[in-house]
Amino acid sequence: MEQRALGADVRVGAVGLGCAGMSGAYGSSADEEGGIATLRSALDAGITFIDTADHYGMGHNETLIGRALRPALRERAVVSVKFGALFGVDGRVHGVNARPDAVANFLGYSLQRLGTDYVDIYRPARLDPAVPIEDTVGAIAEMVRKGYVRGIGLSEVGAETIRRAHAVHPITDVQIEYSLFSRGVEDEILPTCRELGIGVTAYGVLAQGMLTGTWRPSADAARHRGHLPRFAAGNVETNLALVERLRRIATARGVTVAQLAIAWVLAQGRAHRDVVALAGVSRPGRIAETARAAELALSEDDLDAIEQAVPRGAVAGERYAPALLALLDSERTEGAR
């Protein structure tokens, strides 16, 4: 698989694996053996960036990844871990803790669950509004010096925060939502990352499933995605019509809508080889289809047709409800929709 650069030292496959769905996220069931098979199939296909968080399945996901990689496969994977999101026993989010004295605590638990003595990229899940980013990055940098972490990442932060963090320690990558339906990163965040030599790991490339081309409204879908404005009545019809426009282009190319959507994200980093598309796959049988998206070279005519089918701003609804958007540092960047 084509390699992409994250920062100065990390090289990974152009497509990465988002692992939340293996631990019950998005209404999926946690299938341990299936998850292990998926992770190993991904490595065999050249998908080497493995993205998790200590709150996925309340630690279950890290334990699963540890089982899949132990012992011989660890060096083949670049494991990225998000930390600091606080959840109650009721599953509700209670904020973020990215205080310096919490960094080593969270990391210690993650290393134990992963069954490894280092994490390749460690990042706060979100910006802690009570803690200067310099303090959080400085604490992670201490873990780098001690050998427990190899690279520092960020997640859902704006351009100013990226600059401040990078001034403390080189940042490897910024993880942020980027898809045909979410293009605000193009205004300031992506240019800032390129100026500083920071990679971008794009999550949500399939827009929470809508850009798979197979998603349809249902009672189950409403239960798990009903809080997202783009899935709300009045918006979902407009957005599914956009998907049908993409389907015509995908059919003409002999690919799926999902493959086209992933290939579009990768095309945005083609010249710089600095954008990795994270695909949430939880079944081994879907790995080959996902990996083939990295082989799909979109021509300028293809990209023009996609732009006409889904112009920026055509999607109906914001990516999150207003209360959640207000918590994202990345949304303070103008046009970050």
Side-chain angles (χ1 to χ4, degrees):
M1 182 179 290
E2 177 193 348
Q3 299 292 289
R4 295 286 171 102
L6 301 179
D9 302 318
V10 179
R11 299 293 182 273
V12 295
V15 173
L17 185 64
C19 298
M22 300 177 192
S23 297
Y26 317 119
S28 61
S29 58
D31 174 8
E32 293 215 3
E33 295 309 315
I36 289 170
T38 300
L39 283 154
R40 291 175 177 171
S41 295
L43 291 177
D44 289 341
I47 298 174
T48 53
F49 187 96
I50 307 299
D51 185 69
T52 186
D54 58 14
H55 63 270
Y56 290 170
M58 297 303 227
H60 172 272
N61 203 239
E62 290 178 315
T63 302
L64 178 71
I65 291 169
R67 286 185 58 200
L69 299 183
R70 192 181 301 130
L73 300 180
R74 176 65 185 92
E75 292 300 320
R76 291 174 57 185
V78 172
V79 179
S80 161
V81 177
K82 294 183 287 293
F83 75 91
L86 301 177
F87 288 78
V89 294
D90 57 358
R92 294 180 182 273
V93 180
H94 289 276
V96 178
N97 181 358
R99 300 194 322 268
D101 61 358
V103 169
N105 175 76
F106 284 123
L107 178 59
Y109 282 111
S110 287
L111 293 175
Q112 177 69 25
R113 288 188 290 258
L114 288 164
T116 184
D117 56 5
Y118 71 95
V119 168
D120 294 282
I121 304 174
Y122 202 52
R123 72 184 81 239
R126 295 290 185 267
L127 182 69
D128 185 340
V131 180
I133 190 62
E134 292 88 348
D135 293 353
T136 301
V137 170
I140 305 174
E142 180 62 23
M143 297 298 100
V144 173
R145 287 188 286 272
K146 292 182 176 180
Y148 298 119
V149 172
R150 294 189 172 177
I152 301 177
L154 300 172
S155 179
E156 285 289 355
V157 293
E160 179 185 353
T161 300
I162 294 169
R163 291 184 185 280
R164 289 168 51 197
H166 193 69
V168 175
H169 186 281
I171 299 301
T172 299
D173 72 313
V174 173
Q175 193 170 114
I176 196 160
E177 187 169 356
Y178 190 19
S179 74
L180 276 163
F181 280 9
S182 296
R183 297 178 57 179
V185 63
E186 296 170 349
D187 293 332
E188 296 182 23
I189 294 170
L190 184 56
T192 297
C193 287
R194 287 192 170 143
E195 176 192 337
L196 300 176
I198 299 170
V200 169
T201 45
Y203 75 89
V205 295
L206 298 180
Q208 289 77 41
M210 195 174 288
L211 285 171
T212 61
T214 61
W215 185 89
R216 293 292 182 272
S218 67
D220 184 66
R223 184 165 64 255
H224 295 290
R225 293 178 172 83
H227 64 290
L228 298 171
R230 291 173 181 173
F231 289 83
N235 291 337
V236 68
E237 296 84 0
T238 297
N239 297 332
L240 286 176
L242 297 175
V243 175
E244 291 309 308
R245 294 183 189 177
L246 289 173
R247 192 185 307 280
R248 291 193 285 272
I249 300 171
T251 300
R253 286 297 310 266
V255 299
T256 67
V257 175
Q259 288 172 324
L260 188 73
I262 293 170
W264 180 88
V265 171
L266 293 178
Q268 309 316 302
R270 179 187 299 162
H272 300 271
R273 297 183 181 274
D274 58 354
V275 175
V276 172
L278 300 181
V281 181
S282 56
R283 298 194 301 274
R286 299 294 300 275
I287 288 293
E289 174 189 346
T290 302
R292 282 195 293 272
E295 303 170 3
L296 178 59
L298 298 178
S299 67
E300 290 303 318
D301 287 343
D302 291 329
L303 294 171
D304 287 343
I306 292 170
E307 185 69 28
Q308 291 178 31
V310 186
R312 179 171 171 174
V315 65
E318 300 289 345
R319 58 191 180 116
Y320 297 115
L324 288 178
L325 284 178
L327 299 176
L328 296 181
D329 183 64
S330 55
E331 288 292 330
R332 300 190 182 104
T333 302
E334 184 178 355
R337 178 180 178 181

